[in-house]
Amino acid sequence: MVLCTATLSNMQYGWTLFVNPMHNETHWTTVSIQLAFSILIFLNTWLAPLEGWVADRYGPRFVVMLGGLAAGASWVMNAGAHSVQALYVAAAIGGLGMGCVFGTCMGTALKWFPERRGLASGMIAAGYGLGAAISSIPMSRMIQASGYRHTFFLFGLVQGVLIFCGGAFLSKPAVAAFRRASTGETRQGREFTPSQTVRTSAFWLIYLVYLMIASGGMIVTAQLGPIARDFGVEKQMIALLGVSMPLLALTVSIDNLANGLTRPFSGFLSDKIGRENAMLLMFGAEGIALLGMAALGRHALAFLVFAALIFLFWGEIFSLFPAICGDTFGVRNATANNGLLYTAKGTSALVVPLANLLVAATGTWTAVLLVTAVSSMGAGALAKLVVEPARRRLLAAEPLPAKTAGTFTAEVI
């Protein structure tokens, strides 16, 4: 599952490397190019509930294999796109593939490891960041040497084949209840169906927090290249360990490394200190990093450092939110319920082209970064002050656990 999400990650985190070369060759506007990214993310997330429902009932193998074919086809189509309309069709197919792969792998992990949901979801999400960290520099060099179309085609073929083959090894988990040796208590809390989940206020509060924190990260993910161009650092070279590299390519690589490493750590941390406490800590730090980019990002080294911090304190959303969803609404329908929550990421992607409009009105990316900083800090406060009490009330209404004797075991659904 980690291999599948690692291979998939370029579709989101490698996109920013293609934006400026695509604009230079085709003369399509940046807004029209970034609409393809919004379509990709929107369909990736809004199809996730349906894909999750299929995976919950029939297992993850077919869904992930189908997603691999769609993900590969999307980038191959990007290579041959000579109109923005063709780019949008490829984005729609890619969105289908991303949802099939990422959402299914995440939901499956929540079922296999329900006592360590934060760490399990973090490991799956880590692959989604670390894959792009490994491939971003080779991908950037290939774009410079052979053009963005050749790069789309080659990487599309590779990711499609690897995900398809990886999906063939997945199986349906069967864990639903867990017995603790220390208390002799079987813990099988209330299980919410997707229709029941969306009728709770706790779900919509979590959804709002997700939307608020995801928006800033989605903007920076898609627009890092344009931001670097606006700040005058896009073509600067920077030395690391005696090697001189283009700032943007190095930044994307380090960002994705930070983005991947934070996910298992944050998931593990939330297992220890609580989901909302981890959100308050991480989302507040995200806001500070965005403020730092707005104030100092026109200096090459500061751009590199604050971009890395933005991704470090944003990437954990892909472990914290699946974990809090499993905690709150159960594991039997974890893939579908997490898919419903995951649509907040798709909704947040709609602000990506809107950010370009704000830049056109103000003449700089500074205003966008300031707005997202405030939104990130507000998300952390809302999680701690509002979501935590709402979840506590919902969980308190669950039936008391049944007392049984025995050791820690897993029982079949």
Side-chain angles (χ1 to χ4, degrees):
M1 292 186 289
V2 174
L3 173 63
C4 290
T5 57
T7 307
L8 184 75
S9 62
N10 280 324
M11 296 190 68
Q12 177 173 328
Y13 295 111
W15 173 262
T16 193
L17 296 172
F18 292 89
V19 176
N20 289 339
M22 197 183 307
H23 168 73
N24 294 337
E25 179 177 320
T26 65
H27 304 293
W28 299 333
T29 66
T30 303
V31 173
S32 64
I33 293 172
Q34 295 294 27
L35 180 57
F37 181 84
S38 294
I39 292 171
L40 175 80
I41 301 300
F42 186 83
L43 291 180
N44 157 34
T45 56
W46 278 92
L47 290 175
L50 175 60
E51 295 157 350
W53 181 87
V54 174
D56 281 335
R57 279 148 186 80
Y58 303 106
R61 182 178 294 121
F62 168 76
V63 180
V64 173
M65 293 175 72
L66 175 64
L69 293 177
S74 174
W75 269 31
V76 170
M77 292 175 66
N78 282 342
H82 291 281
S83 68
V84 290
Q85 290 77 17
L87 198 68
Y88 299 157
V89 172
I93 294 173
L96 169 67
M98 288 178 68
C100 285
V101 177
F102 184 76
T104 301
C105 289
M106 182 62 73
T108 303
L110 293 175
K111 291 183 176 185
W112 275 118
F113 307 102
E115 291 296 291
R116 294 290 183 271
R117 291 191 188 110
L119 180 59
S121 60
M123 291 299 297
I124 297 299
Y128 196 53
L130 291 175
I134 296 170
S135 60
S136 59
I137 290 179
M139 194 158 52
S140 175
R141 290 177 176 172
M142 185 177 292
I143 291 173
Q144 293 178 1
S146 306
Y148 82 88
R149 294 185 185 276
H150 175 76
T151 307
F152 265 139
F153 183 83
L154 181 60
F155 275 82
L157 285 180
V158 170
Q159 70 191 20
V161 170
L162 289 179
I163 295 171
F164 183 85
C165 294
F169 291 94
L170 300 183
S171 60
K172 185 178 180 180
V175 177
F178 299 87
R179 189 171 299 147
R180 297 181 183 274
S182 60
T183 62
E185 174 187 87
T186 298
R187 183 186 183 279
Q188 185 168 4
R190 183 177 172 188
E191 295 284 346
F192 289 79
T193 65
S195 62
Q196 292 170 333
T197 296
V198 297
R199 291 200 296 269
T200 66
S201 60
F203 172 82
W204 292 108
L205 288 170
I206 297 170
Y207 193 96
L208 177 59
V209 173
Y210 200 153
L211 183 61
M212 292 172 66
I213 187 61
S215 297
M218 291 304 302
I219 289 172
V220 176
T221 296
Q223 306 281 20
L224 191 62
I227 292 172
R229 174 174 289 185
D230 177 57
F231 283 5
V233 298
E234 177 193 14
K235 297 182 178 180
Q236 291 193 28
M237 304 295 289
I238 192 166
L240 181 66
L241 300 177
V243 179
S244 183
M245 288 180 282
L247 174 65
L248 182 58
L250 179 60
T251 300
V252 171
S253 182
I254 293 176
D255 289 352
N256 288 320
L257 180 64
N259 192 20
L261 292 177
T262 191
R263 298 176 182 195
F265 169 76
S266 299
F268 174 79
L269 180 66
S270 73
D271 285 337
K272 298 299 182 182
I273 70 172
R275 312 299 182 204
E276 291 88 357
N277 290 331
M279 289 179 179
L280 178 63
L281 176 65
M282 293 294 184
F283 298 171
E286 170 75 358
I288 294 172
L290 287 162
L291 290 175
M293 176 65 84
L296 303 172
R298 288 169 176 80
H299 302 280
L301 183 59
F303 183 90
L304 178 69
V305 170
F306 283 109
L309 291 175
I310 288 170
F311 279 82
L312 180 70
F313 295 123
W314 180 73
E316 82 285 339
I317 68 174
F318 300 109
S319 55
L320 296 184
F321 285 102
I324 200 172
C325 183
D327 291 346
T328 310
F329 305 111
V331 296
R332 187 181 299 275
N333 300 291
T335 313
N337 284 333
N338 184 58
L340 289 170
L341 185 59
Y342 192 53
T343 62
K345 175 187 171 185
T347 305
S348 72
L350 298 178
V351 306
V352 172
L354 294 179
N356 289 99
L357 299 179
L358 181 56
V359 172
T362 61
T364 178
W365 280 94
T366 301
V368 175
L369 293 169
L370 292 176
V371 170
T372 55
V374 173
S375 179
S376 297
M377 293 179 179
L382 186 64
K384 180 61 180 177
L385 300 177
V386 180
V387 170
E388 186 175 43
R391 282 210 315 130
R392 190 181 298 118
R393 290 192 298 269
L394 182 65
L395 295 174
E398 291 182 2
L400 292 175
K403 295 287 184 179
T404 59
T407 58
F408 183 89
T409 60
E411 297 176 0
V412 179
I413 292 177

